[in-house]
Amino acid sequence: MTALYSYTEAMKSYLHQYKFLQDVALANVFAEEIRLLFEKREGIVVPIPMHPDKLLTRTFAQVDELLISAGLPFQHLLAKTETAEQGKKSKKERLEASPLFEVTGKVEAKTYILFDDIYTTGTTMHHAAKVLKKAGADRVEAITLIKG
C-alpha cells in the first residue's frame, strides 16, 4: 500500500473542504503528484467507488475527480454494497462485515491498482482487493492520497 501523504491537520482540513463542502476544484491540488506516482506503475487503475446513496449526498465522486484531474485513465469495476463508513466501525464490526463490494465489470488475469482518497483501517482496500482477486485478478496493489 502506497500513500502520498499522512493525515495531518492540514490534510484533514483539505479533505473536509474537498469532500464535505464539495469544493471539487481542490481535486487539482495534488493532480501532478498523483500523475507522477501512477506513471511509475503498470496496471489498470480502479477507483474505490462510493455507495450510490452517498454519491447523491456528496454530488460528486471524489476519488474519480482526483484521477480525472491527474489525467489518468481508470475503469469502474466495483460497486459499493455497504453504506457505513469503515472508520466509524469497531474492529469487531469491520471483521464481521459482509463484503463491501461486488465486481461489476470483466476482471482479467492482470494487475489492478486500487485508488482511494484516504486509508484508515485498511478494511476498504482489503475487501476491494479480495473481490478483484476472486474475480480473476493476478495482482492487486493499493494507492491512496492520504494514510491515516
Side-chain angles (χ1 to χ4, degrees):
M1 205 293 295
T2 302
L4 280 168
Y5 298 95
S6 295
Y7 193 55
T8 63
E9 281 302 314
M11 292 309 285
K12 184 177 181 179
S13 177
Y14 164 82
L15 264 186
H16 179 77
Q17 180 80 21
Y18 179 56
K19 290 169 71 167
F20 303 107
L21 300 181
Q22 302 169 339
D23 193 346
V24 183
L26 288 177
N28 294 307
V29 171
F30 302 108
E32 185 65 13
E33 289 95 332
I34 292 169
R35 187 185 62 72
L36 289 173
L37 181 61
F38 276 92
E39 235 176 41
K40 300 172 188 172
R41 308 284 167 105
E42 284 191 33
I44 297 165
V45 179
V46 178
I48 295 294
M50 297 173 73
H51 190 276
D53 293 345
K54 189 171 277 191
L55 183 56
L56 287 173
T57 305
R58 292 243 176 99
T59 71
F60 73 104
Q62 75 269 2
V63 177
D64 290 9
E65 289 298 328
L66 289 168
L67 293 168
I68 290 166
S69 292
L72 296 169
F74 57 90
Q75 290 183 20
H76 287 279
L77 295 175
L78 301 171
K80 194 155 188 187
T81 57
E82 172 76 36
T83 57
E85 292 179 37
Q86 295 307 300
K88 294 184 178 177
K89 291 182 177 181
S90 69
K91 184 174 183 176
K92 184 177 188 275
E93 289 171 323
R94 289 191 306 269
L95 291 171
E96 293 174 350
S98 58
L100 301 177
F101 302 98
E102 62 186 15
V103 174
T104 60
K106 185 176 184 201
V107 176
E108 300 176 43
K110 295 183 178 184
T111 298
Y112 293 86
I113 306 169
L114 294 168
F115 181 69
D116 205 358
D117 54 353
I118 187 164
Y119 179 100
T120 49
T121 66
T123 302
T124 299
M125 289 295 194
H126 173 75
H127 278 258
K130 188 175 178 178
V131 297
L132 285 175
K133 292 282 271 183
K134 188 175 180 182
D138 266 347
R139 180 182 163 110
V140 180
E141 298 178 17
I143 295 176
T144 62
L145 179 64
I146 302 164
K147 184 174 193 286

